Amino acid sequence: MLVDPQKLYTVLLNHFGNQDWWPFDKEYHKINGSDPRFEIMIGAILTQNTAWSNVEKALLNLKKNKSLTVRKIVDMPLEKLKVMIQPSGFFNQKATRLKILATYIYEKYDSDLDKFFKRDLQEIRRELLSLNGIGPETADSMLLYAGNLPIFVVDGYTKRICKRIPLQPKDGSYDEIQQYFKSELSKNLPEKDMVPLYKELHALIVELAKNYCKTKPCCDSCPLKKDCRFSLSQKSF
Ligand code: SF4
């Protein structure tokens, strides 16, 4: 049977259950009166080219120092920020990127994430992409998970499964894959329902790639094995 994004979502949700992404520390923000959306934005930068477990260590350092706010990142000396986020790797680059993002929100939006996110999605996206070190995947993660805005995140895992299953466009660009998921998933849903669906599907694709569709895939136990051309082609040898 043909796999499309809707079927992919249904199969993965049945297999893995609800992922409830993006992970952040609700209790910390309740106690400290800080905005959890900024933790998500920090996490979206820290997770570039590293495992989430490393990001968690860096976030924990920032939490211990009560530094998960726009203002704290703006005021923190760059060298200190580098030390705090060291566990996430590429800390020189990432510290600079965090500084640029925080300074931008501080200077242009008075550190107010309501002001930042309550605008046209494409306008915010253009601004994020204009900041050094923020590419489409990072920008879209911020828009979807921190901004609660309807945009699908395409990562390396999504590209991999598009190629293997395959899903159209199997060798597409970031924008082509994003547009494909949007047009397929929005056929039966109003736009307001797209946000939870996009959040969940992206998280489920990450689970699929971490557990089964790895660099060397484990097709025998994968929930998609009966419908995946890569798996079926392996069996024909
Ligand atoms: S069956 Fe194999 S190649 Fe296909 S999605 Fe699952 S792990 Fe990946």
Side-chain angles (χ1 to χ4, degrees):
M1 189 189 292
L2 186 73
V3 179
D4 58 24
Q6 186 59 54
K7 173 163 177 163
L8 180 70
Y9 172 70
T10 307
V11 171
L12 296 182
L13 185 65
N14 285 339
H15 185 81
F16 292 113
N18 215 305
Q19 299 301 301
D20 207 16
W21 263 32
W22 184 287
F24 64 88
D25 190 340
K26 286 189 189 115
E27 203 52 33
Y28 171 89
H29 294 289
K30 209 164 130 190
I31 293 167
N32 292 285
S34 47
D35 191 331
R37 291 175 292 184
F38 194 59
E39 176 178 345
I40 295 172
M41 296 176 87
I42 291 177
I45 288 179
L46 295 183
T47 199
Q48 294 168 342
N49 301 308
T50 196
W52 185 253
S53 52
N54 297 327
V55 176
E56 285 178 325
K57 289 176 199 151
L59 286 172
L60 192 61
N61 288 342
L62 291 168
K63 275 178 215 163
K64 282 186 191 153
N65 199 55
K66 304 246 183 304
S67 299
L68 282 181
T69 67
V70 172
R71 188 59 199 259
K72 286 282 168 91
I73 297 292
V74 169
D75 289 344
M76 190 183 294
L78 184 62
E79 291 309 311
K80 184 175 174 184
L81 183 55
K82 287 180 187 175
V83 173
M84 296 230 166
I85 65 161
Q86 194 163 6
S88 71
F90 303 99
F91 55 89
N92 288 318
Q93 277 177 12
K94 289 179 183 177
T96 305
R97 289 171 185 179
L98 289 180
K99 278 275 185 193
I100 290 171
L101 174 70
T103 304
Y104 186 80
I105 295 172
Y106 173 66
E107 288 178 351
K108 211 162 169 211
Y109 296 95
D110 304 322
S111 306
D112 183 342
L113 291 180
D114 281 332
K115 274 192 204 165
F116 182 73
F117 281 118
K118 281 195 178 148
R119 295 176 298 130
D120 174 68
L121 187 157
Q122 291 303 335
E123 187 186 327
I124 311 169
R125 191 173 194 262
R126 273 194 298 278
E127 276 184 20
L128 286 170
L129 291 175
S130 74
L131 302 178
N132 185 281
I134 297 188
E137 183 186 335
T138 305
D140 293 342
S141 298
M142 291 178 184
L143 290 164
L144 177 62
Y145 291 104
N148 237 13
L149 293 164
I151 193 153
F152 186 67
V153 179
V154 177
D155 61 7
Y157 297 145
T158 316
K159 288 180 181 162
R160 181 190 293 166
I161 64 155
C162 279
K163 206 168 181 150
R164 286 179 175 170
I165 290 178
L167 291 169
Q168 293 298 331
K170 77 176 190 164
D171 286 312
S173 65
Y174 187 101
D175 292 348
E176 285 166 339
I177 294 174
Q178 186 176 60
Q179 188 51 41
Y180 166 71
F181 274 83
K182 181 182 176 184
S183 60
E184 288 294 314
L185 292 168
S186 61
K187 278 179 185 163
N188 306 313
L189 273 184
E191 198 172 48
K192 70 176 177 51
D193 294 335
M194 299 305 290
V195 172
L197 178 61
Y198 283 159
K199 284 182 177 176
E200 201 52 46
L201 181 54
H202 172 60
L204 288 165
I205 288 173
V206 173
E207 279 306 293
L208 172 70
K210 284 198 315 203
N211 289 284
Y212 304 110
C213 208
K214 306 172 187 183
T215 311
K216 188 166 182 275
C218 307
C219 300
D220 282 350
S221 41
C222 176
L224 291 159
K225 66 178 174 188
K226 288 193 192 118
D227 301 306
C228 172
R229 230 176 267 168
F230 183 91
S231 163
L232 296 171
S233 71
Q234 302 299 298
K235 287 190 178 13
S236 63
F237 291 111

